[in-house]
Every structure is written in structure tokens, then in C-alpha cells.
Amino acid sequence: VIQQEKHNNLILIMDGKIYDGDPAKFEHLIREGYDFNTREYISRGWEILSGNFGLFIGFLFVSGIISGVANSIPFVGLLISFGLGGPLGVSYYIVSRKLANDEPASFENFFDGFQDYVQLTLTYFLYLLFAFAPFLILTIYIGYSGNDLTNVDPSIFLLIGLLAIPCMYLGLAYMFALPIVYFEKIEAL
């Protein structure tokens, strides 16, 4: 059973033992396993969302406008959008956690990620780097070689395919890095 205390530390209770984030305490879970109740977690998530649907949809709309405006700025729009990605990417987790802990949540809480801007932006950069490295390599190769996709050496596609496998793994592994960095107050690197 996973519970969250009011002071935002994640607590896992298993067989009457409390695991508070100390890696040595989690070795027991790795050796002996644990129950993962998907239905319960999805049900609780739906309960949180449906009780605050307007809040979440409102932020979805506002964040879409923010991203659209940022991306429409010539030359620097992509950098601005990148700079907003980390703090805005953790927004739903922040508000959801407050609501799960029966704490009051307001629209302003969606922007609490900006309090840890540097670490969240570094984490987001690492996530993008891991997830999209093969495409970045292909883009750089094509850009520097002056070729288009029809004149590219076929071996580059083999290399990209081989790189895609570990990058997919790392991209999935880093999927929850933003909330971990934010809630556990750890550094990205």
C-alpha cells in the first residue's frame, strides 16, 4: 500500500515495515516483491481528476496557449519552450499530490515548479537528450553533410536504429524524473 504523508514524503508500507526513501530499506522489496494494485491507483487518480476537472482542463488550456505563444516567437521560441518544459511538465504532479493529500490546491500551484527551475530544466534537458538522441544525431549528420534523406548513407539508419533501443529505455526511465527531482529535492546530475 502506498501512502503519502502531509509533509510530502513518500512512504511505502509493506508487511508493517515503513520505507521512507532510504535505498537500503528498498532492497527487501526487490528481493521479496510487492503488490501493485493498478485498479486502485487508476481509481484514485480518476477520483482526484473528476473532482477537480475544471482546474486541470483550465491549466491544460493555459499551458497550451503559453506553449503556442512561446513556439511562435522567431529564432528563440524553441529555447523559450524548452525552458518552460521542466517546470510546466511537473505541474500536474504538484497539484495532484496536493489533492491526494487533502491539501488545498489552486490554479497558482500549477506554477510551483518554477521554484526549482534550474534542476527541473536540467532534468528535462536530460530527458529530451536521452529520448531523442538518435534523431538529433541524424539531424546533425544530414545538416553537416548537406544531404537530404534520399542521399544519406544507409549505414547511418542502422546506427540510428541501434541507438534508438537504449534511448527508448532511457526515455522511459526518465519519464518520472521531473516529479522525483521536484518532490525529493534531488539534483538532476
Side-chain angles (χ1 to χ4, degrees), residues 57-99:
I57 294 299
F59 181 70
L60 178 66
F61 181 72
V62 169
S63 65
I65 290 172
I66 291 170
S67 295
V69 169
N71 284 324
S72 68
I73 299 172
F75 304 111
V76 295
L78 187 60
L79 290 175
I80 293 171
S81 185
F82 166 75
L84 296 172
L88 291 179
V90 76
S91 298
Y92 290 103
Y93 296 103
I94 293 170
V95 173
S96 296
R97 187 168 190 175
K98 283 184 165 293
L99 294 169

Side-chain angles (χ1 to χ4, degrees), residues 3 9 20 30 34 47 49 57 70 73 111 117 130 182 188:
Q3 298 177 344
N9 286 332
D20 62 0
I30 294 169
Y34 52 90
E47 180 183 315
L49 175 64
I57 294 299
I73 299 172
F111 299 95
Y117 180 79
F130 291 146
Y182 180 80

Side-chain angles (χ1 to χ4, degrees), residues 8-83:
N8 287 336
N9 286 332
L10 180 64
I11 301 295
L12 178 66
I13 300 173
M14 178 81 175
D15 299 328
K17 299 176 185 174
I18 296 177
Y19 303 96
D20 62 0
D22 180 6
K25 294 179 182 177
F26 284 100
E27 290 177 17
H28 165 75
L29 297 175
I30 294 169
R31 282 192 318 273
E32 298 177 26
Y34 52 90
D35 292 330
F36 189 84
N37 191 338
T38 305
R39 180 172 287 162
E40 180 182 330
Y41 304 143
I42 291 174
S43 175
R44 180 67 175 130
W46 178 252
E47 180 183 315
I48 291 169
L49 175 64
S50 63
N52 300 281
F53 204 70
L55 186 66
F56 285 99
I57 294 299
F59 181 70
L60 178 66
F61 181 72
V62 169
S63 65
I65 290 172
I66 291 170
S67 295
V69 169
N71 284 324
S72 68
I73 299 172
F75 304 111
V76 295
L78 187 60
L79 290 175
I80 293 171
S81 185
F82 166 75

Side-chain angles (χ1 to χ4, degrees), residues 134-146:
F135 303 109
L136 180 64
I137 292 169
L138 181 62
T139 303
I140 291 170
Y141 173 79
I142 291 171
Y144 281 118
S145 68

Side-chain angles (χ1 to χ4, degrees), residues 116-185:
D116 201 7
Y117 180 79
V118 172
Q119 291 304 316
L120 291 173
T121 302
L122 286 172
T123 303
Y124 187 64
F125 171 74
L126 289 173
Y127 169 73
L128 291 177
L129 182 66
F130 291 146
F132 298 105
F135 303 109
L136 180 64
I137 292 169
L138 181 62
T139 303
I140 291 170
Y141 173 79
I142 291 171
Y144 281 118
S145 68
N147 293 328
D148 59 16
L149 284 176
T150 59
N151 296 328
V152 173
D153 180 10
S155 63
I156 193 74
F157 291 109
L158 177 63
L159 175 65
I160 299 300
L162 291 174
L163 284 173
I165 295 169
C167 286
M168 283 188 286
Y169 170 78
L170 290 170
L172 288 172
Y174 260 76
M175 186 183 320
F176 295 108
L178 287 173
I180 291 170
V181 165
Y182 180 80
F183 291 120
E184 299 301 322
K185 303 297 180 207

